[in-house]
Amino acid sequence: MQTVFSKRHQRALKSGDLKFSLPRTVRGRLRKATEHFDFSYSYYPDPDDNWSATTTASEQTQLALHRAYGVDHLEALDYETNLKAEAEDLSQFIDGAYPNKVFDAIELFNTELDQDRALDFQGDTNRVFLEEEQPWRLLEGQIVRLDPTLLEQGAIDEAVNQLKTMGLEGALQEFKDALNEVTGGDARDAIQDACNAFESVMKSLTEGKGDAHALISQIAKMGLFDDLPRDTQKPLKKVLQALPILGNELGRHGQGKDVVEVATRYAKLAVRLAGTLILFLLDAKQNMEPPPAVSTTIEIDTPDEAPF
């Protein structure tokens, strides 16, 4: 079972660094989304017995929440009495649980769905967040906090989708780690993981090794920028170095003997840069690949016998 939202950000939630609320309208729409995508299926509780039972994705989500919290019952606010009460089902839990636990439920419900359902559920969930002007996104099964500008531009979404499509799992995990660290307020770690994701993409494209400077030189030698004049390519290489420089100065390493406090806005800058630069490199790589060959051979269907 994956680590849920409230466990990933336990320190930030306890310290008060991560505070947020979920309006009832948002809760209602998230509840409706889980109800819409809920489904039942049969399973065999005992692999040595042919007896089968029926369950639903929402019921399995409740059990997963029990295991995550180490409890036998889930509690949620009863709006009629304004008191905590046992949640009879997942819908009641989403309506009245603490916001971070609602996100736990959404993430775990997503894991109960098959690939197609999960993709559609993710789209519906993100539509709710966007239309209700909430700074959250469900990306690859994990809810992360994003700026409204990033939500509108879609740079983060597109970077995640491209990394997944191209099978760059290492870079994808590092990018997701950076997003989670921004959410939890771990600015230094977020900057470092954003840099790691960018460097992992360069290593995958070049199949090379070395630091960011060496990898950028290898990227240039691949011919990704050959549609530009040679003199124009030099400033472009400097642009690609912006993120590694930020990582060296403000990331986990390289701060020197004096500890430098890094504000979250610099972590957001690093994530924005990583998403944009990753998209740029992947797009450049795709553009330099030759288009598929088009056959010019005309096939004539010759009958075995003359039609007369």
Side-chain angles (χ1 to χ4, degrees):
M1 185 175 68
Q2 74 173 40
T3 302
V4 292
F5 181 93
S6 60
K7 299 298 183 182
R8 292 199 307 274
H9 303 300
Q10 186 171 350
R11 181 184 60 80
L13 288 165
K14 283 186 175 180
S15 66
D17 292 336
L18 180 58
K19 293 181 180 179
F20 63 98
S21 61
L22 282 179
R24 292 189 65 178
T25 302
V26 176
R27 290 170 179 268
R29 293 188 66 181
L30 292 176
R31 170 175 52 79
K32 286 294 185 182
T34 60
E35 292 171 353
H36 176 74
F37 286 97
D38 197 14
F39 70 101
S40 61
Y41 60 93
S42 298
Y43 71 104
Y44 296 92
D46 186 347
D48 298 324
D49 196 325
N50 290 330
W51 175 74
S52 65
T54 302
T55 187
T56 65
S58 59
E59 289 173 353
Q60 291 303 309
T61 300
Q62 286 178 263
L63 294 176
L65 288 166
H66 291 166
R67 293 193 296 273
Y69 304 149
V71 298
D72 295 322
H73 305 286
L74 299 176
E75 288 188 337
L77 180 67
D78 184 332
Y79 287 101
E80 293 184 1
T81 64
N82 206 32
L83 297 173
K84 285 185 179 180
E86 181 180 340
E88 296 181 2
D89 53 28
L90 186 65
S91 292
Q92 283 191 6
F93 185 73
I94 292 174
D95 274 340
Y98 286 115
N100 55 293
K101 293 189 175 183
V102 173
F103 285 175
D104 294 345
I106 296 300
E107 290 183 350
L108 289 174
F109 181 80
N110 185 77
T111 66
E112 295 296 329
L113 306 178
D114 58 45
Q115 185 174 1
D116 289 340
R117 281 192 179 96
L119 188 61
D120 290 340
F121 176 69
Q122 177 177 296
D124 272 24
T125 300
N126 288 336
R127 189 175 302 109
V128 172
F129 288 146
L130 180 59
E131 292 177 356
E132 299 296 333
E133 298 182 345
Q134 294 292 305
W136 304 99
R137 236 353 176 234
L138 178 60
L139 299 177
E140 287 297 290
Q142 294 185 342
I143 292 179
V144 297
R145 189 176 212 160
L146 300 180
D147 288 341
T149 54
L150 292 177
L151 288 171
E152 293 170 3
Q153 295 170 359
I156 302 299
D157 284 346
E158 184 62 20
V160 169
N161 290 336
Q162 286 291 331
L163 289 171
K164 182 179 180 181
T165 299
M166 299 187 71
L168 301 178
E169 296 297 333
L172 175 57
Q173 185 59 57
E174 289 162 343
F175 195 58
K176 286 168 58 180
D177 287 344
L179 290 170
N180 274 312
E181 287 150 0
V182 168
T183 301
D186 300 321
R188 286 192 178 278
D189 288 354
I191 293 171
Q192 191 62 41
D193 277 319
C195 292
N196 290 342
F198 177 52
E199 292 185 17
S200 292
V201 169
M202 291 195 290
K203 288 179 180 178
S204 297
L205 294 180
T206 62
E207 298 183 357
K209 299 180 180 179
D211 60 13
H213 180 76
L215 290 169
I216 290 171
S217 296
Q218 294 171 42
I219 285 285
K221 290 178 181 178
M222 288 177 61
L224 265 64
F225 316 138
D226 283 355
D227 55 342
L228 293 176
R230 183 68 60 180
D231 291 342
T232 310
Q233 294 182 22
K234 293 180 180 179
L236 182 58
K237 290 170 65 176
K238 292 182 179 180
V239 171
L240 296 178
Q241 291 170 357
L243 179 57
I245 290 173
L246 185 65
N248 288 338
E249 297 298 326
L250 299 181
R252 182 179 292 175
H253 306 292
Q255 60 179 315
K257 64 179 182 179
D258 297 323
V259 177
V260 179
E261 293 296 330
V262 180
T264 304
R265 64 179 178 274
Y266 297 108
K268 293 178 180 178
L269 172 62
V271 171
R272 290 191 191 100
L273 281 173
T276 301
L277 294 177
I278 286 170
L279 286 175
F280 170 75
L281 290 181
L282 295 181
D283 184 56
K285 181 66 168 62
Q286 290 176 339
N287 284 337
M288 73 174 293
E289 293 176 352
V294 179
S295 175
T296 57
T297 303
I298 300 176
E299 296 183 2
I300 301 177
D301 186 13
T302 304
D304 295 333
E305 298 180 4
F308 52 85

